[in-house]
Amino acid sequence: MFGETTSKSGSLNIGRRRFVQGVVAGGVIAGFDLWRWPALATSRMVEPAVLRGNDFDLVVDEMPVNFTGRRAVATAINGSVPGPLLRWREGDIVTISVTNRLKVPTSIHWHGVRSPADMDGVPGLSFPGIAAGETFTYTIPIKQHGTYWYHSHSRFQEQTGHYGPLVIEPRDKDPIQYDRDYVIMLSDWTDENPETILSNLKGQSDYYNYQQRTAGTFLSDVRKHGLGATVSDRMMWGRMNMNPTDIQDVSGATYTYLINGKRPPPTGQDCSARASEFACASSTARR
């Protein structure tokens, strides 16, 4: 997730906030071709709901969703995926009451925020977690500013939608002038049970890699590079127990990539015409 500012002159000041969302790999960002998207520079941008102030109430619960044409159940915060954008201010003390309506424990970790150890939100390390049906109140003195995010540290709840953006405004006047912040949260969604994905990867690390080299590619490489070079290349990858086409553990074979909780349109669809409804992506992101 990162914040993008539009200055009064119309230029983009990307560096004002730190890029902190690690859910989506850089290769995926390149595949989305973000910088060409008209949606990122227009007021039609779909952004998460915004909560401001010093006292916040968040509710974690299940929610039916359909990102891919198939019905599924997400772990939502205040009824949305991602959760609401929280805007804090440096120097304030904020309280966040989190009510767990799931049937299992949950938690919220404030990623990148310097918080007291018992407010960090990592079950078993800094606090016991939030049991089903209970409410836990986080109290955090804000000693920094920037762009961050929050997410569950309980099992695979982050994978099922339990995350949201967090922006902490500077105590003093922002040195960069701008007309508006655009908050962009990159994430991924799978209709598979995340437990199943982990099990598949543990059993076979390239389970989701459908771009394997075959006898046909071997013969093609022999024609291009010669038998000796081709055999040497295959042996090198074999010694490393790696596949040259395996650039990420999980691919679009099971993931749908989201921007602010919106899926890409069908491949080839005009992005500018539907920017208000979908997060647009180039066809490479769906391969």
Side-chain angles (χ1 to χ4, degrees):
M1 183 269 293
F2 61 91
E4 178 184 278
T5 63
T6 303
S7 69
K8 294 182 179 179
S9 64
S11 61
L12 296 181
N13 298 292
I14 305 298
R16 193 177 74 87
R17 301 198 184 281
R18 294 188 300 133
F19 182 88
V20 297
Q21 168 67 308
V23 176
V24 182
V28 175
I29 297 171
F32 275 170
D33 203 7
L34 289 181
W35 311 119
R36 297 185 183 182
W37 290 10
L40 301 192
T42 73
S43 60
R44 294 184 298 169
M45 177 88 156
V46 177
E47 296 188 71
V50 181
L51 299 180
R52 303 174 183 271
N54 295 338
D55 300 300
F56 301 83
D57 292 296
L58 302 181
V59 176
V60 181
D61 201 354
E62 292 185 342
M63 181 182 75
V65 295
N66 188 334
F67 292 116
T68 66
R70 295 176 57 187
R71 294 179 181 178
V73 176
T75 305
I77 304 173
N78 286 18
S80 69
V81 175
L85 165 62
L86 305 183
R87 284 193 174 270
W88 301 347
R89 189 184 181 198
E90 183 181 15
D92 289 352
I93 297 177
V94 299
T95 60
I96 314 99
S97 296
V98 181
T99 299
N100 180 13
R101 292 184 180 168
L102 302 174
K103 297 178 182 179
V104 296
T106 192
S107 59
I108 293 184
H109 167 63
W110 313 99
H111 196 110
V113 176
R114 299 195 298 271
S115 59
D118 56 346
M119 298 291 151
D120 186 56
V122 179
L125 178 64
S126 58
F127 88 133
I130 309 171
E134 292 190 357
T135 298
F136 179 84
T137 299
Y138 294 88
T139 302
I140 304 175
I142 308 305
K143 302 179 180 180
Q144 64 202 97
H145 63 267
T147 303
Y148 308 92
W149 65 304
Y150 60 94
H151 58 87
S152 173
H153 245 289
S154 301
R155 293 299 292 171
F156 292 97
Q157 291 173 9
E158 178 193 328
Q159 179 70 85
T160 58
H162 188 327
Y163 53 83
L166 169 61
V167 174
I168 304 177
E169 304 290 351
R171 186 69 178 178
D172 300 322
K173 182 180 179 181
D174 197 317
I176 296 180
Q177 294 185 349
Y178 57 92
D179 298 321
R180 182 181 175 184
D181 267 351
Y182 291 100
V183 174
I184 304 168
M185 185 146 207
L186 309 180
S187 60
D188 43 47
W189 171 264
T190 176
D191 288 329
E192 282 192 90
N193 186 327
E195 301 271 0
T196 301
I197 293 179
L198 178 62
S199 177
N200 291 339
L201 292 172
K202 283 184 173 294
Q204 182 180 336
S205 62
D206 58 355
Y207 184 93
Y208 294 97
N209 177 20
Y210 296 160
Q211 304 296 322
Q212 303 281 4
R213 297 200 295 189
T214 64
T217 60
F218 177 83
L219 295 176
S220 176
D221 287 348
V222 168
R223 287 192 294 270
K224 291 179 182 178
H225 309 295
L227 178 61
T230 300
V231 171
S232 177
D233 177 74
R234 296 304 195 272
M235 292 179 64
M236 176 191 69
W237 286 105
R239 287 192 298 270
M240 293 189 294
N241 195 27
M242 294 176 63
N243 191 315
T245 60
D246 187 10
I247 62 172
Q248 54 190 2
D249 289 334
V250 188
S251 69
T254 188
Y255 274 165
T256 293
Y257 300 105
L258 308 176
I259 292 187
N260 290 354
K262 299 298 181 180
R263 67 175 177 85
T267 301
Q269 190 163 307
D270 178 32
C271 287
S272 59
R274 301 188 61 122
S276 62
E277 181 178 357
F278 295 109
C280 296
S282 66
S283 60
T284 56
R286 301 290 294 163
R287 292 176 184 169

